[in-house]
């Protein structure tokens, strides 16, 4: 990932927070003949390991098993808030006009050798954990236990588990850090008026 120094984010707690807040990852694998394969997969992270599940019918499983056998890493991409930045928001537009549009975004990339898991107890625990995390803030949270046990068992037979030890993490926080304080304030104001969550991530001080 191309990351200029101004946008490099390495703090583990910040990277972990983005993964927790935006758990739908783009999982990228490669095949010998097919090239890259990408699927959106919700994941949890704990103890330095990503955990997820995929449909048993998903052809990406073959590439995950091949990567596991070869010790080849896969890539999981987590994207946070993002927004187009208009050059009209920059204070420097009125000063000299040397401004261009850009895009701000927050992103974490994780690499690791996958482990495919086909164990009913592990799958039940992973599905329950993922559900509990995503339902936690709802006023009447749904639980896996709310569904009939035979139905849940049948659903579990249709999925396969996945672990990815996070051997490499990289964060890119492109949030106008390379602009002047006046320009950053203009971007934050413009994004806030447009209702973009990215507005909360523009640093107003160096």
């Amino acid at each position: 990932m191309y990351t200029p120094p101004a946008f490099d984010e390495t703090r583990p707690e910040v990277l972990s927070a983005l993964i927790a807040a935006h758990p739908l990852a783009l999982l990228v694998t490669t095949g010998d003949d097919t090239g890259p394969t990408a699927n959106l997969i919700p994941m949890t992270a704990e103890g330095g390991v990503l955990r997820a599940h995929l449909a048993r019918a998903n052809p990406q499983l073959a590439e995950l098993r091949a990567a596991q056998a070869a010790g080849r890493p896969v890539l999981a991409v987590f994207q946070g808030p993002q927004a187009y930045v208009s050059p009209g928001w920059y204070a420097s537009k009125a000063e000299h006009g040397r401004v261009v549009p850009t895009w701000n975004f927050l992103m974490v990339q994780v690499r690791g050798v996958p482990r495919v898991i086909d164990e009913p107890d592990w799958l039940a625990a992973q599905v329950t954990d993922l559900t509990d995390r995503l339902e936690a803030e709802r006023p009447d949270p749904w639980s896996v236990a709310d569904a009939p046990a035979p139905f849940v068992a049948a659903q579990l037979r249709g999925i396969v588990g996945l672990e990815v030890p996070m051997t490499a993490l990289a964060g890119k926080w492109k949030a106008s850090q390379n602009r002047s304080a006046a320009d950053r304030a203009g971007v934050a104001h413009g994004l806030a008026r447009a209702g973009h969550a990215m507005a909360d991530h523009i640093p107003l001080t160096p």
Side-chain angles (χ1 to χ4, degrees):
M1 175 170 61
Y2 169 60
T3 309
F7 307 138
D8 190 23
E9 178 57 72
T10 60
R11 292 171 292 176
E13 68 276 12
V14 174
L15 304 181
S16 296
L18 185 139
I19 292 173
H22 302 276
L24 187 63
L26 183 67
L27 178 63
V28 183
T29 58
T30 55
D32 293 335
D33 302 319
T34 58
T37 299
N39 280 293
L40 287 169
I41 306 291
M43 296 183 169
T44 61
E46 189 171 357
V49 178
L50 296 177
R51 294 184 175 88
H53 63 269
L54 296 80
R56 191 175 293 275
N58 190 330
Q60 192 172 27
L61 276 172
E63 294 181 5
L64 288 165
R65 294 185 192 277
Q68 178 178 346
R72 183 173 64 244
V74 298
L75 173 67
V77 181
F78 298 86
Q79 183 169 311
Q82 52 81 28
Y84 169 77
V85 175
S86 170
W89 294 338
Y90 293 144
S92 55
K93 173 182 178 293
E95 297 172 11
H96 51 65
R98 296 189 299 274
V99 293
V100 294
T102 190
W103 210 284
N104 278 351
F105 57 88
L106 312 182
M107 180 172 59
V108 175
Q109 293 190 1
V110 179
R111 298 175 190 272
V113 177
R115 174 178 173 242
V116 177
I117 302 170
D118 200 358
E119 301 170 6
D121 290 345
W122 188 98
L123 286 165
Q126 194 276 328
V127 168
T128 298
D129 178 53
L130 177 63
T131 302
D132 289 348
R133 292 185 190 215
L134 297 177
E135 290 279 338
E137 296 183 5
R138 298 179 64 83
D140 185 20
W142 183 86
S143 169
V144 172
D146 291 343
F151 172 78
V152 172
Q155 295 298 302
L156 291 176
R157 287 194 291 272
I159 61 175
V160 177
L162 175 67
E163 285 188 343
V164 180
M166 296 188 286
T167 55
L169 281 84
K172 185 171 182 177
W173 256 239
K174 188 174 182 298
S176 298
Q177 301 99 313
N178 59 329
R179 306 298 307 187
S180 68
D183 280 355
R184 292 197 303 272
V187 170
H189 179 70
L191 290 172
R193 288 188 62 187
H196 285 295
M198 189 70 213
D200 295 334
H201 298 276
I202 305 302
L204 299 180
T205 57

